[in-house]
Amino acid sequence: ICNTFNSDTGIALLGGFAIYEVLGYMQKKCEKLSPTGVCAENYYKQASMGLAFIAYPSGLATLEAPQFWGIIFFGCLIMLGIDSAFSLAECFVTFAKDCWIGLRLRPKTWMVVLPTCIVGWLAGLLYCYDSGTVYLDIIDNYLNNWGMVLIGTLECFAVGWVYKIEDQYKQVTFPISNLYSLNIDETK
């Protein structure tokens, strides 16, 4: 866990330095070219797709051999998308296959993977039309702002429902009920 945390933190810091130095360069360049000294476009406020498809490629275009850096950058974005698709599909497929544990008629892996990928592909077609960016913004906003909080809350309730509070107190090595003075009878 510690190595994963350190590598994840290191990559996030490296990515932050890489992105914000390009945005700072673009903002200063825009301010120098502006007759009033104030840039009409604020590169720091670009988020989501504006950052990935407008601001950062504009900064990469100022480097030497911009085609090379563009291929590297967009290749990384494609690989990130493929990796995300694999992880989403694997999560659902594992859940679906685990529902059949202990049953005699357990489906083969491809019988779960194929419908999952077809449904994911059909859902992805929604983003290929002109209104795809609007749908992406709406779904991204609601999933990140409301969905994660809802899922986290439901997970807490599910753990408390399945793994009862009395069992949790028995697993703790010191009498935590005395610490919080909950007066739970531990003799059950």
Side-chain angles (χ1 to χ4, degrees):
I1 291 175
C2 187
N3 289 337
T4 303
F5 174 75
N6 290 337
S7 63
D8 185 41
T9 304
I11 293 295
L13 285 172
L14 181 66
F17 283 123
I19 289 170
Y20 282 105
E21 63 93 16
V22 169
L23 292 180
Y25 171 74
M26 294 298 293
Q27 189 71 32
K28 290 295 181 187
K29 181 180 173 187
C30 182
E31 289 172 359
K32 283 182 183 176
L33 295 176
S34 175
T36 60
V38 177
C39 185
E41 187 172 359
N42 190 349
Y43 285 98
Y44 290 116
K45 290 191 178 182
Q46 302 240 348
S48 187
M49 293 190 325
L51 180 63
F53 295 110
I54 297 171
Y56 205 72
S58 299
L60 291 177
T62 62
L63 297 174
E64 290 186 29
Q67 293 84 3
F68 172 75
W69 294 112
I71 289 170
I72 296 293
F73 176 69
F74 286 109
C76 287
L77 283 182
I78 289 170
M79 293 299 156
L80 181 65
I82 291 171
D83 182 52
S84 297
F86 275 123
S87 65
L88 288 171
E90 183 181 9
C91 178
F92 181 76
V93 167
T94 302
F95 166 75
K97 284 194 66 166
D98 286 349
C99 288
W100 280 290
I101 286 180
L103 297 178
R104 194 176 294 176
L105 298 172
R106 190 167 183 198
K108 297 191 182 308
T109 303
W110 70 268
M111 295 173 74
V112 180
V113 171
L114 185 65
T116 301
C117 291
I118 289 173
V119 169
W121 179 75
L122 290 172
L125 287 178
L126 178 70
Y127 304 108
C128 294
Y129 296 105
D130 292 337
S131 59
T133 56
V134 175
Y135 289 126
L136 178 67
D137 190 39
I138 291 170
I139 290 172
D140 181 51
N141 180 34
Y142 282 106
L143 285 180
N144 287 334
N145 292 339
W146 298 102
M148 296 295 183
V149 173
L150 177 68
I151 288 173
T153 305
L154 291 176
E155 284 178 354
C156 290
F157 279 119
V159 167
W161 191 285
V162 172
Y163 195 60
K164 303 283 188 225
I165 190 83
E166 294 84 11
D167 296 335
Q168 293 178 33
Y169 285 136
K170 289 177 187 174
Q171 294 293 325
V172 177
T173 57
F174 63 93
I176 196 166
S177 59
N178 294 340
L179 181 66
Y180 293 111
S181 58
L182 295 173
N183 298 327
I184 292 178
D185 186 15
E186 295 181 6
T187 60
K188 287 183 182 179

